Amino acid sequence: MDDGESLGALFEEHRPRLRAVAYRLLGSAGEADDAVQEAWLRLSRNGTAGVDNLAAWLTTVVSRVSLNMLRARAARREDPLDPGPAHPGPGAGAGAGTGAGTDLVEARAAHADRTAAPDPEEEALLADSVGLALLVVLDTLSPAERLAFVLHDMFAVPFEEIGLLLERSPTAARQLASRARRRVRGAPSTAAAPDLARRRRVVEAFLAASRTGDFEALVGLLDPEVVLHADGEIVPEGKPVVRIGRDAVARGAVLASVRSRFAEPALVDGTVGLVTALGGRLFCVLTFTVTEDRITGIEVVGAPERLRDLEIALLDA
């Protein structure tokens, strides 16, 4: 084995951890692979001369590359999102074609500021392993907050090293992580807190029935006069949609069963809702009105300006 092969084998030992770091920082399998590849290119050019701790050195390289990508992404936030034909989240698909779930996956995979779209199935598996809601919340943080939180809270990187990466003091890095932690955890609203567990059971049951296409279970969860509103940005026609009655809403949820695998419960404005995302980027949010264990209203939010106004956090495990 020559030196190049030896160096490559050494790098492969660290690849899983580096990819885990990059994926949590970027929320995208494609972008994570790009960051890891850049780390390998730098290692292959420079070798290990002068490197006392290869794992720490590689983590620093991946983190710096990811931070630059996050900053570039933040600078493009104001660019209009054009993911192609849009489709609703779970429960909003009444009247949509049966292939709409695949269209949604392909549309969101094509967007994410990368040169090559990742495999949607891989994105789904990665999101499941990390937590889709967590990725959505992380995407609301500033690049510095996200890096400080991910490196310290998920990978136990000392604040001294994080401060060097961010060109800030360890104390400033600690404050960034603390601020991010508060955003990630959130807090139930005063009104929702007493019945949060009950609402969560109803929303989780709705999601489970949507994923399996269980029409009867959905009907049992919905009030006979349930009303669903969906923003025009997430339906094929591009116009706001209103569905009235549990049969119509349940049929829509059945049609959206494929897309439901990309949804997860989260705390939305202090109460339980569903977030739908791919590639770590928020696509739409479902909020629910629950009365006596029946869903009486569903709001499917997909307009970018409305999504930006929502406060999303994790539910307690």
Side-chain angles (χ1 to χ4, degrees), residues 133-165:
L134 174 59
L135 293 175
V136 168
V137 178
L138 290 176
D139 197 45
T140 68
L141 305 176
S142 72
E145 289 172 339
R146 185 167 186 166
L147 184 134
F149 175 80
V150 167
L151 291 186
H152 182 267
D153 285 43
M154 296 184 178
F155 295 96
V157 176
F159 285 119
E160 289 75 14
E161 295 180 23
I162 296 171
L164 289 174
L165 275 167

Side-chain angles (χ1 to χ4, degrees), residues 26-47:
L26 295 165
S28 158
E31 290 182 322
D33 286 339
D34 289 344
V36 173
Q37 180 64 16
E38 178 62 25
W40 160 244
L41 291 174
R42 296 189 188 185
L43 179 63
S44 62
R45 286 196 302 264
N46 302 326

Side-chain angles (χ1 to χ4, degrees), residues 8-93:
L10 192 60
F11 181 81
E12 288 304 316
E13 293 178 10
H14 295 282
R15 182 184 290 274
R17 184 178 188 275
L18 295 176
R19 194 167 191 256
V21 171
Y23 183 70
R24 284 154 181 78
L25 285 172
L26 295 165
S28 158
E31 290 182 322
D33 286 339
D34 289 344
V36 173
Q37 180 64 16
E38 178 62 25
W40 160 244
L41 291 174
R42 296 189 188 185
L43 179 63
S44 62
R45 286 196 302 264
N46 302 326
T48 58
V51 177
D52 296 327
N53 185 331
L54 184 59
W57 186 86
L58 289 170
T59 298
T60 296
V61 172
V62 165
S63 298
R64 280 192 175 131
V65 172
S66 299
L67 181 61
N68 289 336
M69 295 170 77
L70 287 171
R71 285 169 172 166
R73 180 191 298 173
R76 292 192 294 269
R77 285 291 192 192
E78 298 308 314
D79 289 351
L81 171 61
D82 183 15
H87 298 282

Side-chain angles (χ1 to χ4, degrees), residues 69-263:
M69 295 170 77
L70 287 171
R71 285 169 172 166
R73 180 191 298 173
R76 292 192 294 269
R77 285 291 192 192
E78 298 308 314
D79 289 351
L81 171 61
D82 183 15
H87 298 282
T98 56
T102 303
D103 292 342
L104 168 63
V105 170
E106 292 174 349
R108 292 303 287 157
H111 178 75
D113 304 319
R114 68 182 72 94
T115 56
D119 179 2
E121 292 298 321
E122 182 186 24
E123 289 281 2
L125 291 173
L126 282 170
D128 286 345
S129 68
V130 176
L132 185 147
L134 174 59
L135 293 175
V136 168
V137 178
L138 290 176
D139 197 45
T140 68
L141 305 176
S142 72
E145 289 172 339
R146 185 167 186 166
L147 184 134
F149 175 80
V150 167
L151 291 186
H152 182 267
D153 285 43
M154 296 184 178
F155 295 96
V157 176
F159 285 119
E160 289 75 14
E161 295 180 23
I162 296 171
L164 289 174
L165 275 167
L166 295 172
E167 298 181 342
R168 304 191 188 195
S169 69
T171 299
R174 186 186 301 274
Q175 291 171 345
L176 286 168
S178 177
R179 189 157 64 235
R181 200 175 299 118
R182 288 194 297 270
R183 291 277 298 279
V184 169
R185 291 175 179 171
S189 67
T190 303
D195 62 347
L196 198 65
R198 178 175 60 86
R199 287 173 177 266
R200 182 172 184 171
R201 285 195 298 272
V202 173
V203 171
E204 288 179 341
F206 176 85
L207 178 59
S210 297
R211 284 177 171 171
T212 59
D214 190 336
F215 181 83
E216 295 302 323
L218 287 163
V219 167
L221 291 165
L222 298 168
D223 184 84
E225 304 301 321
V226 61
V227 178
L228 177 145
H229 295 88
D231 286 344
E233 286 82 354
I234 59 169
V235 294
E237 296 82 5
K239 298 179 181 179
V241 168
V242 178
R243 299 280 183 246
I244 300 176
R246 61 186 175 190
D247 285 357
V249 174
R251 281 196 299 271
V254 170
L255 288 172
S257 59
V258 173
R259 298 189 299 278
S260 296
R261 69 173 301 189
F262 299 99

